[in-house]
């Protein structure tokens, strides 16, 4: 199914009743943000595990950029990203 092809590319984390899917490519983020896909994924989780989950879609690259920016800021003596 189409949802599987998109979801398998995610980095997955969860806390309590929140599932976070992080994608490296904006195409996958855009597809998973589609209400159809989110509803389908929530339905599968509810059916399989009996749990209702909130789903958050994130950009996996932003984490790497943030750590890189922090390293550069440390080297440069601190500062604020512009």
């Amino acid at each position: 199914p189409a949802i599987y092809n998109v979801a398998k590319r995610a980095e997955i984390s969860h806390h309590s009743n929140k599932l976070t899917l992080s994608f490296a490519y904006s195409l996958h983020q855009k597809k998973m943000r589609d209400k159809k896909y989110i509803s389908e994924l929530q339905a599968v989780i509810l059916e399989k595990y009996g749990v209702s989950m909130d789903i958050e879609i994130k950009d996996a690259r932003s984490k790497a950029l943030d750590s890189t920016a922090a390293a550069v800021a440390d080297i440069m003596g601190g500062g604020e990203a512009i």
Side-chain angles (χ1 to χ4, degrees):
I3 191 170
Y4 172 75
N5 289 325
V6 176
K8 73 180 182 180
R9 290 171 170 77
E11 291 178 28
I12 302 169
S13 62
H14 65 87
H15 180 67
S16 192
N17 69 334
K18 183 178 182 180
L19 180 68
T20 303
L21 304 175
S22 300
F23 294 93
Y25 298 102
S26 60
L27 171 68
H28 300 129
Q29 294 170 41
K30 184 178 178 181
K31 284 190 178 230
M32 274 311 295
R33 285 190 175 112
D34 186 319
K35 290 182 184 198
K36 174 185 157 191
Y37 280 151
I38 289 186
S39 296
E40 189 175 338
L41 184 56
Q42 287 172 323
V44 168
I45 293 169
L46 184 60
E47 180 183 320
K48 292 283 186 186
Y49 302 104
V51 177
S52 179
M53 299 286 277
D54 292 325
I55 297 174
E56 179 181 24
I57 308 301
K58 286 190 168 184
D59 184 349
R61 296 172 298 161
S62 66
K63 218 185 327 180
L65 293 175
D66 289 344
S67 64
T68 302
V72 169
D74 284 344
I75 291 169
M76 301 299 286
E80 185 177 316
I82 299 174

